Amino acid sequence: MTDRVAIVTGGSSGIGREAATRLGRDGYAVVIGYAGNQSNAEEAVKEVEQAGGRAIAVQADVADETAVAAMFDRAEQEFGGVDVVVNAAGIMPLAPLAELDLEVFDRVVRTNLRGTFVVDQQAVRRVRGGGAIINVSSSLTKLARPNYSAYSATKGGVEAITLILARELRGRDVTVNTVAPGPTATPLFFEGKPQELIDRIAAEPPLERLGEPSDIAEVIAFLAGPARWINGQVIYANGGSAA
């Protein structure tokens, strides 16, 4: 698949970075979309290249439609088109609903929900036939864990967008799916959590561990390439955790 091109938002860290590297192993040219950490983005580019792909890093606020359009422009200029879009950018401030500052809530909505909408809008206009749009949600939409109301609300919206967009793309030969990870060992997950809580969450799935970014990247790579008959679905990748 040396002629395949992917854009991965949130590609400088966590699940996005691992997904970019995994796609590089499949021979993709990858655009690493990142918000602000240029050093991490450059390291991610090197990892994709070491895996066998080509890569560039492009800074873009996913909620800014002009910046996102420019990122897609770069993909087309550098690599000739876009086949796969992975929406992995996200933020996760935690607080009980009654205590969450509404400015923080607005920021979560802007990045997680508006950001997905803006990126998907460009993807609809640009992704070539045979391509895939893969949004990233969270199993927290089902697990209903306290302190995650804002984050889970945005991810529920991402799932709704996915199901509708898949149907809007009838006749285009472009699949649209969501991957909904459970607790995964990323900097976003570990931030602000005491070890006791991390250990308790890790023990919940029948497999008795946290997910690894590579676990989620395998699902993304499957949806990006061979999984042509999976469309309009939410894939819960959480090791068996249940609500």
Side-chain angles (χ1 to χ4, degrees):
M1 295 191 296
T2 54
D3 58 343
R4 300 273 282 180
V5 180
I7 293 176
V8 181
T9 70
S12 64
S13 66
I15 289 170
R17 182 165 174 168
E18 191 68 30
T21 301
R22 179 64 182 80
L23 292 173
R25 200 180 312 148
D26 282 344
Y28 280 77
V30 183
V31 175
I32 305 288
Y34 71 100
N37 194 321
Q38 183 177 357
S39 176
N40 279 358
E42 290 173 351
E43 290 174 5
V45 166
K46 292 178 183 177
E47 289 179 8
V48 173
E49 292 172 342
Q50 289 168 357
R54 294 178 291 160
I56 59 171
V58 179
Q59 185 174 11
D61 173 359
V62 290
D64 181 338
E65 62 271 30
T66 302
V68 170
M71 178 172 61
F72 276 77
D73 288 344
R74 280 290 306 279
E76 292 172 346
Q77 291 161 5
E78 295 285 337
F79 301 127
V82 180
D83 300 286
V84 172
V85 174
V86 180
N87 263 308
I91 59 175
M92 192 172 63
L94 303 182
L97 184 148
E99 300 172 14
L100 185 68
D101 189 291
L102 288 177
E103 290 187 3
V104 175
F105 176 79
D106 289 344
R107 187 159 54 88
V108 177
V109 171
R110 186 178 189 278
T111 299
N112 295 0
L113 186 55
R114 177 187 166 93
T116 296
F117 194 96
V118 169
V119 173
D120 279 357
Q121 198 169 63
Q122 285 296 319
V124 167
R125 298 167 182 171
R126 314 262 197 141
V127 170
R128 297 183 285 205
I133 299 170
I134 303 161
N135 296 323
V136 176
S137 173
S138 170
S139 289
L140 286 162
T141 58
K142 301 297 184 185
L143 297 175
R145 198 182 301 279
N147 299 323
Y148 288 85
S149 58
Y151 180 77
S152 296
T154 62
K155 293 305 188 178
V158 167
E159 294 179 9
I161 288 170
T162 298
L163 304 185
I164 293 168
L165 185 55
R167 286 149 181 81
E168 291 180 346
L169 291 184
R170 175 179 291 274
R172 284 275 306 277
D173 190 26
V174 173
T175 61
V176 188
N177 293 289
T178 285
V179 179
T184 306
T186 66
L188 188 68
F189 171 78
F190 288 124
E191 185 178 350
K193 290 185 177 68
Q195 189 61 45
E196 179 274 332
L197 177 59
I198 292 169
D199 292 343
R200 181 151 44 88
I201 293 173
E204 289 176 354
L207 297 178
E208 296 186 326
R209 66 174 176 86
L210 294 174
E212 293 294 333
S214 58
D215 295 320
I216 313 305
E218 286 297 330
V219 180
I220 290 172
F222 179 58
L223 294 173
R228 299 307 302 165
W229 198 233
I230 299 177
N231 190 27
Q233 303 298 317
V234 179
I235 309 298
Y236 294 96
N238 57 31
S241 297

